[in-house]
Amino acid sequence: MTFRVIALDLDGTLLTAQKSILPESLDALALAKEAGLKPVIVTGRHHNAIHPFYQALALDTPAICCNGTYLYDYQAKKVLTSDPMTPQQAEALIELLNDYGIHSLMYVDDVMLYERACGHIQRTENWAQRLPEAQRPVFRQVASLQDAVRSVERIWKFALTGEDIPRLQSVALTIERELNLACEWSWHDQVDVAAPGNSKGNRLAQWVESQGLTMDQVVAFGDNHNDISMLERAGLGIAMGNADDIVKSHADKVIGPNTEPSIADALRQWVL
């Protein structure tokens, strides 16, 4: 099979713990582009939180954001396709989270909103402050997420964080059972909540088909539970060595960790 698309998760996969891309990965992906392959970012992040990586890779492909909730065209600065959460779904979720005392970050339009900074919010804001101003993701603290729901156009997802992992697991099960929303783990202490039917695999397959290609022509790299849907559907699904064992069990290959030039080695061995 001749591969045509390289689907790349960011955190824990293409990115190191310092949120940088290894030079070996940049070189190998540049060679892949010269050979006619299309690298595509497939991430749980908001589109305004991937500027430095998109620019470093010099991409012209759209980015799949918020675990497949939408497809974003950076050249045109617009959303191409999307399946956002309804205001009613968001309001019901916020009410449930308030009952459980769970803090969240709400991804909407071109900004991320929160009531109280904690966990994932603090980590991402600390990282953002180290970036040039033009590349910084936009965060905004609001008095009430419930009120904010009524003033935005589209709600992409909620990111729930907390140190009590069993409690997060319990809340995720309650959300799925009572609200019929989709929950996926995107980090060890973060659960993402979105409208049902959204996944990296589904949105990637939709875009691949629009290019006249098939998922058999895709090689995908990932490390976390929200990557499983694309690892399973890709012609070659590759899990990072730092991935959970469950994620590895859904991949065709397992390579070294994100701290080593594992992606570059894999591309040269199986793709280039």
Side-chain angles (χ1 to χ4, degrees):
M1 173 60 67
T2 300
F3 295 111
R4 298 288 304 281
V5 174
I6 304 171
L8 297 157
D9 169 56
L10 290 177
D11 295 282
T13 301
L14 184 64
L15 304 185
T16 67
Q18 290 72 42
K19 305 304 178 189
S20 63
I21 303 175
L22 293 173
E24 294 90 345
S25 296
L26 289 173
D27 291 344
L29 289 166
L31 288 174
K33 286 180 10 183
E34 290 176 11
L37 283 88
K38 299 175 182 288
V40 179
I41 290 175
V42 188
T43 181
R45 289 179 178 238
H46 194 294
H47 68 267
N48 75 15
I50 63 175
H51 289 298
F53 318 122
Y54 192 90
Q55 292 167 5
L57 294 167
L59 299 179
D60 58 7
T61 50
I64 294 170
C65 301
C66 288
N67 299 328
T69 300
Y70 65 103
L71 182 70
Y72 187 78
D73 185 332
Y74 266 92
Q75 277 65 44
K77 293 182 170 55
K78 69 176 184 179
V79 174
L80 299 177
T81 60
S82 67
D83 293 284
M85 194 179 292
T86 67
Q88 294 76 18
Q89 288 172 319
E91 288 177 348
L93 175 61
I94 293 168
E95 184 175 349
L96 185 148
L97 295 177
N98 287 339
D99 289 342
Y100 278 86
I102 298 291
H103 302 292
S104 65
L105 182 65
M106 185 169 73
Y107 293 53
V108 303
D109 301 332
D110 295 314
V111 65
M112 291 171 282
L113 306 176
Y114 65 92
E115 292 180 3
R116 176 181 168 187
C118 61
H120 167 68
I121 300 168
Q122 293 173 323
R123 288 197 302 265
T124 310
E125 279 203 295
N126 291 338
W127 164 75
Q129 291 306 309
R130 299 195 297 268
L131 296 173
E133 188 172 353
Q135 293 184 339
R136 289 177 190 167
V138 182
F139 291 88
R140 187 177 303 142
Q141 188 168 20
V142 296
S144 168
L145 289 179
Q146 282 280 20
D147 292 341
V149 164
R150 305 181 187 98
S151 64
V152 301
E153 289 186 20
R154 288 174 288 197
I155 303 159
W156 305 128
K157 76 168 188 177
F158 284 74
L160 320 182
T161 62
E163 297 179 358
D164 189 339
I165 304 305
R167 181 175 175 80
L168 269 184
Q169 292 171 330
S170 176
V171 170
L173 290 173
T174 301
I175 291 169
E176 291 179 328
R177 182 177 62 250
E178 297 186 5
L179 303 183
N180 191 33
L181 293 171
C183 294
E184 288 189 307
W185 289 84
S186 60
W187 204 242
H188 70 277
D189 63 350
Q190 179 176 320
V191 176
D192 294 342
V193 186
N198 286 315
S199 71
K200 291 185 176 184
N202 284 346
R203 190 67 65 187
L204 178 61
Q206 183 184 86
W207 179 77
V208 166
E209 183 178 350
S210 76
Q211 302 302 297
L213 303 172
T214 68
M215 287 296 287
D216 286 341
Q217 296 171 287
V218 176
V219 54
F221 293 88
D223 78 301
N224 221 312
H225 292 247
N226 60 341
D227 297 313
I228 289 174
S229 61
M230 72 170 179
L231 295 179
E232 287 184 326
R233 297 180 69 171
L236 180 60
I238 301 177
M240 305 303 294
N242 49 284
D244 289 347
D245 287 341
I246 293 175
V247 178
K248 292 176 181 178
S249 72
H250 290 273
D252 300 302
K253 303 282 187 182
V254 177
I255 58 177
N258 62 328
T259 54
E260 300 175 4
S262 310
I263 290 177
D265 292 344
L267 289 174
R268 288 189 169 90
Q269 182 174 356
W270 296 308
V271 180
L272 297 175

